[in-house]
Amino acid sequence: MSPETAILGCNGVQGKPYPVALASHDDVVKDDILFLNTLRSFHNSLGSKFMVPVIGGKGLNLHVLYVEVTKRGGYDKVVTEKKWREISSVFDFSATTTSASYALRKHYFTLLHRYELVYFFRLQDTILAQTACSSFQAIGTIDAKFDCGYLVSIKVGDETLNGVLYHPSCHVDNYVLTPQPCNAVVPYTPQLHQSGRRNRRRRGRRAEDPGRPKPNRSGYNFFFAERHSHLKSLYPNREREFTKMIGESWNKLSSEERLIYQRHGAQDKERYQKEMKEYRERMKKEQPHY
């Protein structure tokens, strides 16, 4: 498989030194109020935005998250040893919160990773080069292609990230990924006219006959709709990124977690088949006999 290299430069912004720790690691672990005060001060010193994120309708306890990650050796070690699911089990998330591990990792990196470097690893007098750079160099491969884009793997440092790249002119709100094997980097050729005719024909049938059953949705469709609604409430101005974020969340689900949505898809398929059978029988009865 031929890799593509993306080389993106920094914006020329000068880095900032790490703020000085205002307390010891042991102290902030023991005192959640001290922890929040030093964390807010830390972000204020960097000029970065600080806000307690919400997962499953509840504010995330950042103190518990920090304690659980640092007692396992810190962010990098947790990532390497894949312990985010273990950490998520400490929190009382609802059964419908299926991407808790991914959310915890994302929020920790954004809000606590640099704090960890100062308070847990005691780094000082180091320039925050990463915060000054909004882009970086990465090497990626195209694993598969589908009508609206590609499934890709990107190597960033020692990590390999999986995601979805889609063509901006392709509507993906209810799109189902049906990847095809891809052994090389293949330029994308939009098939908008063909898929557009197909979609218009499908919509036209229901528009002409409102009694026609609504087509069934797959398990991924149900997952996509749930995550899209949740992400839209959190990040209303980042909708173009949702497909990639949802694709990554889906890839991180265990087989048991996916089964929940696949059962919804199977039930909806049974509903559609039953309604279509009744619809056809009704149409036959309504046809005039000569």
Side-chain angles (χ1 to χ4, degrees):
M1 189 175 298
S2 303
E4 284 266 313
T5 303
I7 303 176
L8 301 174
C10 296
N11 294 330
V13 181
Q14 296 298 318
K16 295 181 179 181
Y18 281 101
V20 177
L22 302 177
S24 69
H25 169 71
D26 290 339
D27 287 340
V28 298
V29 165
K30 295 175 184 176
D31 189 337
D32 58 340
I33 296 177
L34 177 63
F35 165 79
L36 285 175
N37 288 338
T38 55
L39 182 60
R40 287 194 181 94
S41 176
F42 184 86
H43 282 279
N44 286 336
S45 298
L46 295 178
S48 55
K49 184 178 180 180
F50 174 73
M51 180 181 296
V52 176
V54 176
I55 300 180
K58 298 180 180 179
L60 176 61
N61 191 323
L62 294 174
H63 183 248
V64 172
L65 180 59
Y66 176 77
V67 171
E68 292 298 325
V69 172
T70 53
K71 79 179 184 181
R72 290 171 174 80
Y75 175 83
D76 291 335
K77 190 171 183 180
V78 170
V79 169
T80 301
E81 298 180 359
K82 299 180 179 179
K83 291 188 175 181
W84 290 107
R85 192 181 300 278
E86 176 184 312
I87 292 173
S88 69
S89 66
V90 175
F91 294 85
D92 187 24
F93 294 128
S94 65
T96 57
T97 308
T98 56
S99 57
S101 299
Y102 169 77
L104 289 179
R105 174 174 172 173
K106 179 188 68 173
H107 292 313
Y108 191 94
F109 183 81
T110 302
L111 298 171
L112 295 170
H113 184 229
R114 290 171 294 176
Y115 179 89
E116 170 197 292
L117 295 177
V118 173
Y119 282 79
F120 183 57
F121 289 105
R122 310 300 294 181
L123 290 185
Q124 295 179 356
D125 300 326
T126 305
I127 298 299
L128 284 170
Q130 286 185 338
T131 60
C133 212
S134 61
S135 52
F136 50 87
Q137 177 173 318
I139 298 176
T141 56
I142 296 177
D143 300 321
K145 61 179 180 177
F146 58 101
D147 286 349
C148 278
Y150 300 100
L151 300 183
V152 298
S153 298
I154 303 294
K155 190 168 182 62
V156 181
D158 295 329
E159 286 189 87
T160 299
L161 307 177
N162 299 315
V164 180
L165 295 177
Y166 67 93
H167 195 275
S169 59
C170 187
H171 299 289
V172 295
D173 285 347
N174 295 310
Y175 191 79
V176 183
L177 297 181
T178 53
Q180 304 296 326
C182 181
N183 296 320
V185 176
V186 181
Y188 176 74
T189 303
Q191 300 179 355
L192 299 178
H193 296 298
Q194 181 180 357
S195 61
R197 285 196 300 269
R198 194 161 53 239
N199 291 335
R200 283 196 299 271
R201 188 162 56 246
R202 254 185 130 177
R203 289 194 298 266
R205 289 174 181 173
R206 295 202 73 232
E208 295 171 1
D209 184 2
R212 188 181 182 87
K214 183 179 179 180
N216 63 290
R217 297 192 293 169
S218 69
Y220 182 80
N221 284 148
F222 281 99
F223 177 79
F224 192 103
E226 176 188 289
R227 293 299 303 151
H228 191 279
S229 176
H230 179 65
L231 291 172
K232 193 168 184 178
S233 65
L234 294 177
Y235 313 108
N237 299 322
R238 296 174 58 187
E239 197 161 352
R240 289 173 64 89
E241 303 173 42
F242 289 175
T243 298
K244 176 183 176 181
M245 296 165 70
I246 295 171
E248 290 175 346
S249 298
W250 177 259
N251 290 336
K252 293 178 185 295
L253 294 183
S254 66
S255 56
E256 292 81 7
E257 290 171 329
R258 288 193 185 187
L259 187 60
I260 297 173
Y261 298 97
Q262 290 167 346
R263 284 173 178 167
H264 286 313
Q267 291 172 357
D268 198 43
K269 184 176 181 179
E270 291 178 2
R271 183 273 310 164
Y272 176 67
Q273 291 174 340
K274 179 182 178 181
E275 291 181 358
M276 278 301 297
K277 182 179 179 181
E278 295 172 352
Y279 171 79
R280 292 190 181 102
E281 290 175 353
R282 186 170 66 252
M283 292 300 292
K284 286 180 180 179
K285 293 179 181 179
E286 292 177 358
Q287 286 180 353
H289 297 280
Y290 298 99

